[in-house]
Amino acid sequence: MNLNLNFKKLEKNYVFVEVENKIREYEANNPKAEVIRLGVGDVTKPLCSESIKAMHKAVDEMGKFETFKSYGPSEGYEFLRKEISKYYLKFNIKFNISEIFINDGINTDLWSILDLFSKENTVLIPDPVYPVYSDVNIIDGRKIIYLNSNKENNFLPLPDKKIKPNIIYMCSPNNPTGTVYNRKELKIWVDYALENDAVILFDSAYECFIDDQNTDDLPKSIFEIENSKKCCIEFCSFSKKAGFTGIRCGYTTIPKELKKDNFNLREIWHRRVSVKSNGVSYISQRGAQSIFTQEGESQTKFNINYYKENSKIICDNLKFLNIWHVGGKYSPYIWLKCPKNMKSWEFFDYLLNNFGIAGIPGSGFGKNGENFFRFTGFGEREKIIKFCDRTKKVFFEKWSK
Amino acid sequence: MNLNLNFKKLEKNYVFVEVENKIREYEANNPKAEVIRLGVGDVTKPLCSESIKAMHKAVDEMGKFETFKSYGPSEGYEFLRKEISKYYLKFNIKFNISEIFINDGINTDLWSILDLFSKENTVLIPDPVYPVYSDVNIIDGRKIIYLNSNKENNFLPLPDKKIKPNIIYMCSPNNPTGTVYNRKELKIWVDYALENDAVILFDSAYECFIDDQNTDDLPKSIFEIENSKKCCIEFCSFSKKAGFTGIRCGYTTIPKELKKDNFNLREIWHRRVSVKSNGVSYISQRGAQSIFTQEGESQTKFNINYYKENSKIICDNLKFLNIWHVGGKYSPYIWLKCPKNMKSWEFFDYLLNNFGIAGIPGSGFGKNGENFFRFTGFGEREKIIKFCDRTKKVFFEKWSK
């Protein structure tokens, strides 16, 4: 056997694994310490009662001959795809359900989608970025160009016309920076993709953090942009929207207008899915369907607003302490400049060892993340308040000036 | 963007999709007909009550703050991996849980595993075979050599020493032929893999159909064979064992002894999983755990035995009708020679259009499948009896002589 040696090019450890190891070590050495985890982007609120009800019903169906569900459609059940197409309609986007594919979370499809593309593609990825985008392309051996996302462009980079990419990764609201592109900026990206015959792989995992009636003209879907159906694939998930990180369900939308030469990408993907997938758990899909009911929508929004309020408290605290930051308004992520120009890991160790506060070192997201740091608004309010207290009392007296 | 044109090399339609389309067309034209489906290898019995109970409990946990589960470990929960390692112990196979990875069904990992290997590998695949093995390698552009599995070798081919493969796909009990390798034959395969520095990707999805105390010396796991840990990866699933085709849960076992040069494949896989996966639904994993309880084991075995009895009835019928066949004893699959030397699809159409019976054309599994046909023992007993009646009464009067 011959190994895929591209694995050697990966960083030794995934940043989240490394953070988790350090926290565990700290807890072992400080058994009485209460760590405030403002790090990993993971929900903390239990599932809403509508989802619980729907999943109990689905489990019951699984136990009776008349209602038992064996292999489901590889592309997902129609009942869920219909709800998603109706959701798109709220933003005046029309999709046939054949353009919507259920996935078991964005992560899987973010790399599976690369099956559609040869190795001879140049991939454009912003830096800093969610590490999966680059890692999966490193494993595959594609050429990657990183686009500088930094304080100068407010962590919302626009295309560099000198670069001619074939595949473009975008994430808005962004992970890790929490910044969000407005309609005008997204239009610039779509035009750029079309000029270069490139495809945009658009990660909208955090769209639920954008208020329906926002005053900043921030689209929730890339497909709100003119001509985007010719050059975009969108990946969305119920992980953050409905707390489904442990349930595993999301969707991938490939418009029928997306073509290259004589090939329709939606059709190739459909063929691929029929070979490579046996679909997503029926119970998970019924759970996901429930959040589109009026009650489900209201319950999930309640949780999102709770996280958003957390983010606001963190941002207000940073503002008070005069720490430069972005994000946190339409996103659970707050991206800050480490005080006193500390390195990211230096700040991580400092925060953890002195104050029992854990965030994510920005450098784990790319070279432009060095000297930056990510907090998240997930978690319980009392912890967020404690975070503010701890930082106000001691930490920033020394560091924020 | 540049497409992966290997997709053009795939058959236009997956055989199961084509069969389903033909059945749907038949049903539309014959609304009163009752089709007896002995085709797709999918369970029909509802989940056992132990699994239902466990999944209800898991759903409840998801609804409470104290017990809510968000992102789980990418490699799967320890509670399930422990049960699997205990299951291996029944056959005197020792695995640490770090060698066991939970998957969302074998299908996903059968192609994901290829991430470990470069494109410069020659893949040996028996013909006929479960189409996924070859399709995923066609999509990746690897060189495939097919090994003839045919009536002459009783559809249990042994290695051809002239062929020097790097990656070997095996499936025992076999899909589609229902044949099972014995210990001596598996030893020949393991020795052959070691001689060639090849890896065996061993699909044991149907191991549950082998009786614990069988008199034919048939291993349930490739790891029952001496030295196999140095050259094998095993893929198993709860799909057939516990009716989990709609629940999505299985496991992939990579022994720590499996190495190439300085690389430990288990470690690379662990790194890959931490990047590319967010694990499997907590509810599915709790469901899977339940089948290892005494009650769960007894309930799932009851269902397996029901399917096995179905297969026996089908085999007895074929024997009575003097139709050549293999499988059906330690497998849900019965593989038969089409009577009157009919082509596979010809026989499919004949059976469906004249008798409302649906099977799978053997040619859908490779060139050596031509003139052969697959039935499965899944389904309700009354349908199996009806199948026997219909075939005995009319069909074989004409064709079996």
Side-chain angles (χ1 to χ4, degrees):
Chain A
M1 61 186 127
N2 301 303
L3 295 184
N4 172 7
L5 295 178
N6 290 323
F7 272 100
K8 286 168 68 177
K9 299 177 195 157
L10 290 180
E11 297 289 328
K12 199 179 151 248
N13 254 335
Y14 197 37
V15 58
F16 303 115
V17 176
E18 218 164 325
V19 163
E20 204 47 47
N21 290 343
K22 285 209 175 206
I23 297 176
R24 251 184 249 146
E25 195 187 322
Y26 174 81
E27 287 177 330
N29 296 333
N30 303 273
K32 283 184 185 163
E34 183 204 12
V35 176
I36 298 177
R37 289 166 180 261
L38 300 178
V40 178
D42 196 358
V43 295
T44 47
K45 288 261 169 219
L47 300 194
C48 74
S49 65
E50 280 294 293
S51 301
I52 296 297
K53 202 168 73 181
M55 290 199 293
H56 273 308
K57 184 158 176 273
V59 172
D60 279 335
E61 288 179 61
M62 279 296 189
K64 296 193 190 80
F65 180 78
E66 296 72 22
T67 50
F68 174 64
K69 299 285 181 300
S70 51
Y71 283 124
S74 297
E75 61 271 32
Y77 278 99
E78 278 195 22
F79 63 74
L80 181 54
R81 291 148 77 212
K82 269 185 193 160
E83 293 299 336
I84 295 161
S85 77
K86 280 199 279 182
Y87 180 70
Y88 272 119
L89 263 186
K90 287 190 177 180
F91 320 110
N92 296 313
I93 309 167
K94 279 183 195 157
F95 278 119
N96 187 287
I97 62 161
S98 66
E99 296 166 286
I100 297 164
F101 298 83
I102 304 306
N103 61 41
D104 75 337
I106 291 180
N107 228 16
T108 306
D109 272 9
L110 271 176
W111 54 269
S112 297
I113 203 76
L114 294 171
D115 264 0
L116 295 183
F117 306 106
S118 74
K119 306 300 169 213
E120 292 71 39
N121 280 292
T122 299
V123 183
L124 184 70
I125 298 179
D127 172 343
V129 77
Y130 180 48
V132 168
Y133 304 164
S134 42
D135 283 357
V136 296
N137 281 290
I138 290 169
I139 293 173
D140 266 11
R142 283 193 192 77
K143 185 187 168 189
I144 299 174
I145 297 177
Y146 291 98
L147 183 67
N148 287 321
S149 172
N150 51 33
K151 214 176 152 200
E152 285 64 50
N153 56 37
N154 226 19
F155 290 96
L156 282 171
L158 288 172
D160 174 349
K161 299 253 176 167
K162 292 190 296 294
I163 303 172
K164 309 283 182 195
N166 307 112
I167 297 172
I168 301 166
Y169 278 88
M170 292 185 74
C171 179
S172 177
N174 189 266
N175 179 5
T177 67
T179 55
V180 192
Y181 284 112
N182 66 24
R183 194 173 305 273
K184 200 176 134 199
E185 290 157 340
L186 287 178
K187 175 78 167 63
I188 294 170
W189 274 106
V190 166
D191 290 344
Y192 171 69
L194 287 169
E195 276 160 32
N196 286 285
D197 182 32
V199 63
I200 293 176
L201 304 179
F202 194 84
D203 181 345
S204 63
Y206 300 95
E207 54 90 34
C208 53
F209 284 84
I210 301 177
D211 301 325
D212 289 344
Q213 268 82 38
N214 67 75
T215 52
D216 299 312
D217 206 17
L218 307 174
K220 285 163 95 78
S221 165
I222 187 68
F223 295 119
E224 293 184 49
I225 308 301
E226 196 187 343
N227 289 325
S228 58
K229 285 189 172 183
K230 292 179 195 163
C231 63
C232 295
I233 296 175
E234 185 161 85
F235 304 86
C236 199
S237 163
F238 305 112
S239 281
K240 306 302 154 68
K241 189 178 192 124
F244 268 38
T245 52
I247 298 292
R248 315 305 316 138
C249 196
Y251 55 96
T252 299
T253 307
I254 309 185
K256 60 182 187 311
E257 288 84 351
L258 185 61
K259 285 176 192 171
K260 169 73 184 181
D261 304 327
N262 290 321
F263 297 99
N264 181 309
L265 272 72
R266 191 209 71 80
E267 281 170 24
I268 309 181
W269 184 250
H270 187 265
R271 181 71 176 91
R272 182 209 168 278
V273 164
S274 75
V275 169
K276 286 196 169 185
S277 163
N278 282 315
V280 171
S281 163
Y282 173 72
I283 299 165
S284 304
Q285 293 190 62
R286 281 293 184 198
Q289 181 194 22
S290 75
I291 68 174
F292 291 100
T293 61
Q294 206 178 347
E295 190 53 36
E297 201 184 310
S298 136
Q299 290 175 356
T300 49
K301 272 193 181 160
F302 182 86
N303 286 349
I304 296 289
N305 286 333
Y306 181 92
Y307 296 136
K308 285 180 73 162
E309 183 63 23
N310 284 348
S311 300
K312 191 174 179 304
I313 296 170
I314 296 172
C315 285
D316 288 348
N317 187 48
L318 293 174
K319 210 170 167 181
F320 174 81
L321 297 161
N322 204 24
I323 307 273
W324 188 94
H325 64 280
V326 286
K329 186 171 179 189
Y330 300 115
S331 157
Y333 297 122
I334 301 107
W335 183 250
L336 58 130
K337 179 97 174 51
C338 303
K340 299 280 174 188
N341 215 27
M342 271 194 268
K343 298 274 183 192
S344 300
W345 275 109
E346 188 188 350
F347 188 56
F348 175 88
D349 290 333
Y350 179 82
L351 271 185
L352 182 63
N353 295 325
N354 290 285
F355 307 99
I357 293 169
I360 304 282
S363 57
F365 301 100
K367 77 171 173 52
N368 288 318
E370 185 58 280
N371 296 116
F372 286 86
F373 207 74
R374 192 189 83 175
F375 282 138
T376 81
F378 296 116
E380 287 309 291
R381 184 66 41 81
E382 57 167 273
K383 297 257 183 177
I384 307 288
I385 307 283
K386 268 190 195 161
F387 157 78
C388 295
D389 289 349
R390 288 192 196 177
T391 50
K392 267 180 195 154
K393 264 187 210 149
V394 195
F395 170 66
F396 289 103
E397 278 177 24
K398 188 170 168 192
W399 287 102
S400 70
K401 281 155 199 165
Chain B
M1 60 187 129
N2 302 303
L3 296 183
N4 172 7
L5 295 178
N6 291 324
F7 271 101
K8 286 168 70 178
K9 298 176 196 157
L10 290 180
E11 298 289 327
K12 200 178 150 250
N13 253 333
Y14 198 39
V15 58
F16 302 116
V17 177
E18 217 165 325
V19 162
E20 205 46 47
N21 290 342
K22 284 209 175 204
I23 296 176
R24 252 186 247 144
E25 193 186 325
Y26 173 81
E27 286 177 330
N29 296 333
N30 303 274
K32 283 185 187 164
E34 182 204 12
V35 176
I36 298 176
R37 289 167 180 260
L38 300 179
V40 179
D42 195 357
V43 295
T44 47
K45 288 264 170 216
L47 300 193
C48 74
S49 64
E50 280 294 295
S51 301
I52 296 297
K53 203 169 73 183
M55 292 199 294
H56 272 308
K57 184 159 176 276
V59 171
D60 278 335
E61 289 178 60
M62 280 294 190
K64 295 192 192 81
F65 179 78
E66 296 71 25
T67 50
F68 174 64
K69 299 285 180 303
S70 52
Y71 284 124
S74 297
E75 60 272 32
Y77 278 99
E78 278 195 20
F79 62 73
L80 181 53
R81 292 149 76 212
K82 270 184 193 162
E83 293 299 337
I84 295 162
S85 76
K86 282 200 277 182
Y87 181 69
Y88 272 120
L89 264 186
K90 287 191 179 181
F91 320 112
N92 297 313
I93 309 167
K94 279 183 194 153
F95 278 118
N96 186 286
I97 63 162
S98 66
E99 297 167 285
I100 297 164
F101 298 83
I102 305 304
N103 61 40
D104 76 336
I106 291 181
N107 227 18
T108 306
D109 272 8
L110 272 176
W111 55 269
S112 296
I113 202 76
L114 294 171
D115 264 1
L116 295 183
F117 306 105
S118 75
K119 306 300 169 211
E120 292 71 40
N121 279 294
T122 299
V123 183
L124 184 69
I125 297 179
D127 171 347
V129 77
Y130 180 48
V132 167
Y133 304 163
S134 42
D135 284 357
V136 295
N137 281 290
I138 290 169
I139 293 171
D140 267 11
R142 283 193 192 77
K143 184 185 168 191
I144 298 175
I145 296 177
Y146 291 98
L147 183 67
N148 286 322
S149 172
N150 52 33
K151 212 174 155 203
E152 286 64 48
N153 54 37
N154 227 22
F155 289 96
L156 282 170
L158 288 172
D160 175 348
K161 299 256 174 163
K162 292 191 295 294
I163 304 172
K164 308 284 183 196
N166 308 112
I167 297 172
I168 301 167
Y169 278 89
M170 291 184 74
C171 179
S172 177
N174 189 265
N175 179 4
T177 68
T179 55
V180 192
Y181 284 111
N182 65 26
R183 195 172 306 271
K184 201 175 133 198
E185 290 157 340
L186 288 179
K187 176 78 169 61
I188 295 171
W189 275 107
V190 166
D191 290 343
Y192 170 70
L194 288 168
E195 276 160 31
N196 286 283
D197 183 32
V199 62
I200 293 177
L201 305 179
F202 194 83
D203 181 346
S204 64
Y206 300 96
E207 54 90 33
C208 52
F209 285 85
I210 301 176
D211 300 324
D212 289 342
Q213 268 81 38
N214 68 75
T215 52
D216 299 312
D217 206 18
L218 306 175
K220 284 163 94 82
S221 164
I222 188 68
F223 295 118
E224 294 184 49
I225 308 301
E226 196 188 342
N227 290 325
S228 57
K229 284 188 172 182
K230 293 180 194 162
C231 63
C232 295
I233 297 174
E234 184 160 85
F235 304 86
C236 199
S237 160
F238 306 111
S239 282
K240 306 302 154 67
K241 187 177 193 125
F244 268 39
T245 52
I247 298 292
R248 316 304 316 137
C249 196
Y251 55 96
T252 298
T253 307
I254 309 186
K256 61 181 185 310
E257 288 85 350
L258 186 61
K259 285 175 191 170
K260 168 73 183 181
D261 306 327
N262 290 320
F263 296 99
N264 182 310
L265 273 72
R266 191 209 69 81
E267 281 169 23
I268 309 180
W269 184 250
H270 187 263
R271 181 73 178 90
R272 182 211 168 276
V273 163
S274 75
V275 170
K276 286 196 168 184
S277 164
N278 281 315
V280 172
S281 163
Y282 174 72
I283 299 165
S284 304
Q285 292 190 62
R286 280 293 183 197
Q289 181 193 21
S290 76
I291 68 173
F292 292 99
T293 62
Q294 205 177 353
E295 190 54 36
E297 201 184 309
S298 134
Q299 290 175 355
T300 49
K301 271 194 184 159
F302 182 86
N303 286 349
I304 296 289
N305 286 333
Y306 181 92
Y307 297 136
K308 284 180 74 161
E309 183 64 23
N310 283 349
S311 299
K312 188 173 182 305
I313 295 170
I314 296 172
C315 284
D316 287 347
N317 187 48
L318 293 174
K319 209 167 168 185
F320 174 80
L321 296 161
N322 205 24
I323 306 271
W324 188 95
H325 64 280
V326 285
K329 187 172 179 188
Y330 299 115
S331 156
Y333 298 122
I334 301 107
W335 183 251
L336 58 132
K337 178 98 175 52
C338 303
K340 297 282 173 188
N341 217 26
M342 270 194 268
K343 296 275 184 192
S344 300
W345 276 108
E346 188 188 350
F347 188 56
F348 175 89
D349 289 334
Y350 179 82
L351 271 184
L352 181 63
N353 295 324
N354 291 283
F355 309 98
I357 293 169
I360 304 283
S363 57
F365 300 99
K367 79 171 172 51
N368 287 319
E370 184 58 281
N371 296 116
F372 286 86
F373 207 74
R374 191 188 83 174
F375 282 138
T376 83
F378 296 115
E380 288 309 291
R381 185 67 40 82
E382 56 166 276
K383 296 258 184 173
I384 307 288
I385 307 281
K386 267 189 196 162
F387 157 79
C388 295
D389 290 348
R390 286 192 197 175
T391 50
K392 268 181 193 152
K393 264 188 208 146
V394 195
F395 169 67
F396 289 103
E397 279 177 24
K398 191 173 168 190
W399 287 102
S400 70
K401 282 154 198 165

